[in-house]
Amino acid sequence: MVRLRFGFILIAMVLSLFGGRLIQLQGIDPRSYAEMAAAEGVEDVVLPASRGEILDRNGEPLAGSVAGRMVVADPDMTQDDAPALATLLSNELGVDYFTVLDRLRTENSHFEYIARRVPATEADRVLALVREQGFRGISLRDDPVRDYPAGEVAANLVGFMGIDEPLAGFERTFDAQLSGTDGRARFTVGNGHRVPLGERSVTKAVDGQPLRTTIDRDLQWFVQKVLEETREDYRAESAAAVVMDTRTGDLLAVADAPTFDANDPTASPESDLGSRALSDVYEPGSVQKVLTAAALVDAGKVTARTRIKVPSNLARQDRVINDWFDHGTIRLTMAGVIAKSSNIGTVLAADQLTAPQLADYLSRFGLGRKTNVGVRGESRGLLHSGESMTSQDKDRIAFGQSLSVNAVQMTAAVNTIANGGVRVSPSLVLGQATTDDGTVVGTEVATKERVVSRRAARQTALMMERVVDPEAGVAPRAQVPGYRVAGKTGTAQRVDPDCRCYDGSFSLSFGGFAPADDPRFTVYVVVHNPGVDGGGGSVAGPVFSRIMGHALSKYRVPPTGSKPSRLPVEW
């Protein structure tokens, strides 16, 4: 009985001690103990948000996140070994030695970043090396790393990330949507441990939202492959190709050659790290003639059968205009002018439009203004206003000189004819998204504008069919077996930006659509400065044929079975 009483007394004494200590901590002097803990240090930790994926139109990833780590240091444990540890970390992680040295020596801190978004395997290797050499105070935290599973596919549009920020493409333009908001955790620590009664707060991370594009990843891959083969075969400086859904304006492929691997952008020249299809401008050459022809038909000035007597050359104010082929006086219809790509015939027909009228039509086709599809660095090109356009300018603009375009602009312009005379603004984003400058873009905000009548567009399409006719036109190699094709070649002199003069090189292009009588896709190809002789029909035409044929097959578009245009080209 005595032993039992003694046991109860002992238990009561222990509980009294615990109770007294608790009262002291929570009631009598909590502030002093919190201040003591705070004096030891506060650990402020970032809880990284997962970055939103960039997807193609079918939900296939163009950019995503994989397991990664942040490398962090506890300066209270790294100060003594800071120089040697900074050397190791800078060599292994590629971070700046002096920045790391300062962070390893930070006073009154238990948490400093050394490197972020390090691939998990690399971070684990570095941590093992740190411990192997006897260093303490380095640890790892989860920190997702950006990954581009398609590599080069659509890299010109998607862009890439730096260590701590987006540097190019959609990654940068739509960073606010993709990045989300990092969370934070704040803990009071003492002697390397969290203080139970110290500060403790957690704000959860908000993950970024995905960006769904109009790009078809598989089609983009094929177009890039064909384009790079073309560039190499023709020893060209660069090339671009665009595939547009005729009815919706969705850009299914926007390809450049050369391009780069988004997983390793530093391996490529800076000039390759963007989208030439939107940033590079050039004179469109004779593809422009179909826009002039559509304007003339819409204005009631010509029809496809209008007869034009085309002399061997045409003396105009400051120079003589020639055709690309030698001839005497020939008799061409307007369809023949397009089929044969006659500069002289186009200028004579365009005499029936005033400069302001021509400028107005071309502006409504989208020339001289940005497409605003959400790609940084897009060029607006050059188009004279009607008031500033001289008669010499007008002559040259009518057949594709003295103005400049980018490849997506020209695709949308040609697509206007395919779409029955209605220009639908091109889109690279499914739905809608807001760019870093506050512009809302995407298919939900795409606009439609009637540029020419349905009748004018239809007549122009019939004229364009004669371009690929082996008996009448200059680009039979642009045909797609089994389908009716409407298109137009372009062979344009290139301007040297230094001397602002033609430098003897050319941009060769072909733009068109199929099936010609029920268009499904518009494809535009341009090859800059090829190292071999040729024109738009012989160089860009076959590329168009391969891309268009693949797109029609992939999307299972059946031939219409109707007969192609037989408009007369001569009279």
Side-chain angles (χ1 to χ4, degrees):
M1 192 69 175
V2 174
R3 289 180 181 178
L4 182 61
R5 288 177 179 176
F6 180 77
F8 278 127
I9 293 172
L10 185 60
I11 291 172
M13 291 175 64
V14 172
L15 290 174
S16 297
L17 288 173
F18 278 119
R21 180 61 172 166
L22 187 61
I23 291 170
Q24 182 184 26
L25 288 172
Q26 291 186 335
I28 298 174
D29 195 17
R31 183 182 301 275
S32 64
Y33 284 94
E35 288 176 351
M36 287 173 61
E40 291 295 322
V42 174
E43 184 174 310
D44 200 350
V45 180
V46 170
L47 305 176
S50 292
R51 193 169 180 82
E53 290 182 302
I54 300 177
L55 307 168
D56 86 338
R57 65 185 301 105
N58 301 309
E60 295 296 327
L62 299 171
S65 298
V66 296
R69 304 284 186 267
M70 66 175 76
V71 180
V72 299
D74 180 348
D76 191 53
M77 302 174 69
T78 60
Q79 286 181 359
D80 294 342
D81 299 316
L85 187 52
T87 299
L88 186 154
L89 294 172
S90 62
N91 288 339
E92 297 299 326
L93 295 172
V95 290
D96 181 71
Y97 169 82
F98 294 102
T99 300
V100 172
L101 183 64
D102 288 343
R103 290 177 179 175
L104 295 174
R105 288 173 165 171
T106 303
E107 295 183 357
N108 301 319
S109 173
H110 291 275
F111 185 92
E112 295 293 328
Y113 293 113
I114 301 302
R116 293 203 59 183
R117 301 185 181 92
V118 181
T121 53
E122 181 181 352
D124 291 342
R125 179 188 63 80
V126 172
L127 181 62
L129 187 61
V130 167
R131 291 174 174 173
E132 181 181 301
Q133 295 192 18
F135 297 118
R136 300 184 309 129
I138 300 298
S139 60
L140 306 178
R141 308 288 173 90
D142 288 340
D143 197 12
V145 175
R146 205 57 165 167
D147 177 60
Y148 303 94
E152 292 186 353
V153 179
N156 57 328
L157 301 173
V158 171
F160 54 92
M161 294 289 294
I163 295 175
D164 292 312
E165 61 182 350
L167 297 180
F170 290 156
E171 293 281 28
R172 184 174 177 184
T173 302
F174 300 104
D175 181 53
Q177 173 175 329
L178 295 166
S179 62
T181 305
D182 287 346
R184 303 194 77 82
R186 188 176 175 86
F187 303 99
T188 305
V189 295
N191 295 323
H193 302 284
R194 293 176 183 174
V195 177
L197 298 180
E199 180 178 348
R200 184 181 187 278
S201 61
V202 177
T203 302
K204 292 183 178 180
V206 178
D207 291 340
Q209 296 299 307
L211 178 75
R212 193 156 185 169
T213 72
T214 61
I215 294 297
D216 181 323
R217 191 175 77 169
D218 293 341
L219 181 59
Q220 175 82 16
W221 172 84
F222 180 83
V223 175
Q224 287 186 204
K225 173 178 175 290
V226 171
L227 207 60
E228 182 57 32
E229 289 172 358
T230 300
R231 189 182 74 88
E232 292 178 357
D233 290 345
Y234 291 108
R235 304 193 304 279
E237 181 180 307
S238 64
V242 181
V243 181
M244 177 183 279
D245 185 308
T246 297
R247 302 158 188 171
T248 65
D250 290 8
L251 296 171
L252 306 179
V254 178
D256 293 297
T259 186
F260 67 99
D261 185 341
N263 291 302
D264 189 17
T266 59
S268 298
E270 185 177 349
S271 58
D272 293 345
L273 303 182
S275 176
R276 289 187 172 90
L278 284 151
S279 63
D280 285 6
V281 293
Y282 52 92
E283 293 189 346
S286 295
V287 177
Q288 162 72 17
K289 291 171 184 172
V290 300
L291 309 185
T292 302
L296 284 163
V297 176
D298 184 70
K301 304 300 183 181
V302 302
T303 71
R305 297 173 184 270
T306 294
R307 297 176 174 185
I308 302 172
K309 187 179 290 186
V310 180
S312 58
N313 57 66
L314 184 63
R316 288 291 171 122
Q317 296 81 359
D318 63 336
R319 69 172 184 173
V320 174
I321 295 174
N322 295 294
D323 277 330
W324 64 274
F325 60 102
D326 293 331
H327 60 79
T329 298
I330 54 177
R331 298 167 181 252
L332 299 178
T333 63
M334 190 67 210
V337 168
I338 297 300
K340 304 294 184 185
S341 198
S342 171
N343 296 339
I344 298 170
T346 304
V347 171
L348 290 172
D351 281 344
Q352 300 181 74
L353 289 176
T354 65
Q357 286 174 324
L358 180 59
D360 179 61
Y361 272 112
L362 296 183
S363 177
R364 285 191 283 139
F365 271 114
L367 306 192
R369 52 189 170 107
K370 292 182 179 181
T371 62
N372 286 326
V373 291
V375 174
R376 296 173 63 93
E378 180 185 359
S379 299
R380 67 173 65 250
L382 172 67
L383 175 66
H384 290 283
S385 66
E387 293 72 25
S388 66
M389 190 184 295
T390 67
S391 59
Q392 296 98 318
D393 291 333
K394 176 174 166 289
D395 286 347
R396 296 166 188 160
I397 289 170
F399 63 82
Q401 289 186 348
S402 296
L403 78 164
S404 62
V405 299
N406 68 48
V408 174
Q409 268 182 338
M410 208 61 198
T411 307
V414 173
N415 190 70
T416 302
I417 298 170
N419 198 40
V422 175
R423 182 184 184 274
V424 55
S425 57
S427 297
L428 272 172
V429 173
L430 278 178
Q432 68 177 51
T434 303
T435 67
D436 54 355
D437 66 3
T439 303
V440 179
V441 301
T443 55
E444 290 183 2
V445 294
T447 61
K448 292 185 177 182
E449 177 186 3
R450 178 158 293 283
V451 178
V452 297
S453 67
R454 179 173 292 277
R455 171 182 166 276
R458 181 63 185 144
Q459 277 204 45
T460 306
L462 290 171
M463 289 190 267
M464 293 169 69
E465 281 195 74
R466 300 298 271 153
V467 173
V468 302
D469 189 303
E471 297 178 1
V474 295
R477 295 177 64 189
Q479 290 181 332
V480 178
Y483 292 87
R484 289 176 63 176
V485 170
K488 185 67 190 77
T489 58
T491 302
Q493 298 179 78
R494 286 163 53 86
V495 176
D496 185 316
D498 294 328
C499 70
R500 296 185 179 181
C501 59
Y502 292 122
D503 62 8
S505 64
F506 293 88
S507 291
L508 309 180
S509 58
F510 190 94
F513 45 90
D517 55 336
D518 187 18
R520 182 70 176 82
F521 302 115
T522 296
V523 172
Y524 180 79
V525 177
V526 60
V527 180
H528 296 296
N529 192 20
V532 300
D533 292 334
S538 61
V539 173
V543 185
F544 167 91
S545 177
R546 289 182 66 186
I547 293 171
M548 179 63 82
H550 183 80
L552 293 168
S553 174
K554 183 179 190 301
Y555 282 83
R556 299 179 181 178
V557 179
T560 60
S562 59
K563 294 182 179 180
S565 169
R566 299 301 298 172
L567 281 172
V569 297
E570 297 178 335
W571 56 279

